[in-house]
Amino acid sequence: MSEEKQAATKAAGSEAPDGRPDGSPAPKKARKRGPIAAAVVAAVVIIAGAGLWVWHEQPSFCAAICHIPMDPYLETYDEEAGVAGHDKWMNDVSNTDSMLAVTHRVAGEACMDCHVPTLAEQVSELGAWVSGDYVYPLYEADLDQLTEASGMDADEFCLKSGCHVTASGEALTTREQLKEATADLSFNPHVAQHGERACSDCHKGHRASVMVCSECHDEAQLPDGWITPDEEDQLVIR
C-alpha cells in the first residue's frame, strides 16, 4: 500500500464518531432556556398574585394601601373587646362591644366580609387616593352602599346565614326570629311598633351603637356601651 493510502486509512481510523477529523469532542448544543424562564416567571406571578389576593382580604391591607383615611377604621376594628375605648372620631366609648367592628372581629370576621366593594368603586377610590382628592375622615357608609356589590337587600345582608344564631344554635335569618330572640327583654326593640327600621339605625360599625327606642321609651334598656339618640347628637363628628 502506498504511503498516501496508508495516511488516508490512518486518518479515517482516527476520525471521531461525529465526523470531526481531529477527534475533538463535538460542541454541546445550547439548551433552550426560554420556556424554563417563562415557566419560572409565570409561577412567581401566580404565587405573588395569590399572596396579594389573600392579603387583599385582610384588614391590614386596607390601612397599608389607603393609610391615612383608613387608619381610624382599622384602629377601632383592632380595639380590645369589652373595655372602654374610642370610636373612629376619637369619641369615648364606654364599652367597645357596642361597635360592630369589634364584635365582628372577635367572631372571626374581616373587613371584606361586610365591605364588599364594586369594581367601579375600587377604581374610583384608587383614583381619589392617587390624586389626593378624597374626604377625610371618610363618610360613614350606609346599608345601601354596603349592599350594592353583594346584590342583597338590607335584611338579607345583615341577617345572612352563618352570621347570627338563636340561643338554640339555629341560624337567625329573619326579623321574626330576631324578635323572638329578644322577647325576654322588658322592652323588645325588634318589635316594629312604628314600622320597620333599618338595622343600621341602631347598630353602628365603628362607633357606639344607638338605642333609638330610648328617645321615647325610658324603659328601653341600653346594652353595655350603647348610647341614646341625645348622646349621639353630642358626638364630635369631624
Side-chain angles (χ1 to χ4, degrees):
M1 184 181 292
S2 67
E3 291 182 4
E4 290 147 352
K5 287 184 178 180
Q6 288 177 353
T9 302
K10 184 176 180 181
S14 63
E15 190 174 277
D18 65 352
R20 292 178 59 83
D22 60 358
S24 61
K28 294 181 178 180
K29 293 183 179 179
R31 294 181 179 177
K32 295 181 179 179
R33 298 184 178 180
I36 297 177
V40 171
V41 170
V44 170
V45 169
I46 292 172
I47 293 173
L52 180 61
W53 182 257
V54 171
W55 184 37
H56 171 265
E57 300 294 309
Q58 304 306 310
S60 57
F61 175 88
C62 302
I65 301 303
C66 300
H67 182 67
I68 295 174
M70 290 307 302
D71 274 355
Y73 293 84
L74 183 60
E75 288 166 5
T76 54
Y77 176 86
D78 283 335
E79 286 197 59
E80 183 181 352
V83 299
H86 299 89
D87 67 13
K88 61 184 176 183
W89 294 300
M90 294 304 294
N91 295 295
D92 290 337
V93 176
S94 63
N95 190 319
T96 54
D97 284 350
S98 63
M99 297 189 289
L100 288 179
V102 174
T103 55
H104 282 174
R105 174 184 57 78
V106 171
E109 303 296 327
C111 302
M112 298 293 286
D113 292 322
C114 288
H115 297 277
V116 182
T118 62
L119 179 59
E121 183 182 358
Q122 289 183 306
V123 172
S124 174
E125 288 175 351
L126 177 61
W129 172 242
V130 171
S131 66
D133 183 22
Y134 57 85
V135 177
Y136 178 73
L138 298 177
Y139 293 127
E140 190 170 62
D142 58 28
L143 273 179
D144 289 337
Q145 293 170 308
L146 287 174
T147 57
E148 182 179 357
S150 67
M152 301 178 181
D153 62 35
D155 278 7
E156 185 182 6
F157 177 80
C158 293
L159 297 173
K160 56 187 174 184
S161 179
C163 290
H164 307 101
V165 295
T166 64
S168 61
E170 181 184 0
L172 196 161
T173 58
T174 68
R175 283 189 178 247
E176 191 60 33
Q177 289 176 300
L178 193 60
K179 183 172 66 175
E180 292 174 3
T182 52
D184 59 333
L185 297 178
S186 59
F187 180 88
N188 191 340
H190 295 121
V191 174
Q193 301 185 52
H194 306 289
E196 289 188 349
R197 305 197 60 145
C199 300
S200 59
D201 287 347
C202 293
H203 299 274
K204 308 298 181 181
H206 295 271
R207 61 183 174 96
S209 294
V210 182
M211 178 56 78
V212 173
C213 302
S214 66
E215 184 171 17
C216 298
H217 298 274
D218 293 336
E219 70 275 22
Q221 298 171 303
L222 267 66
D224 288 343
W226 284 48
I227 60 178
T228 66
D230 286 342
E231 290 172 321
E232 180 186 26
D233 291 339
Q234 296 171 23
L235 294 178
V236 176
I237 300 178
R238 294 179 290 274

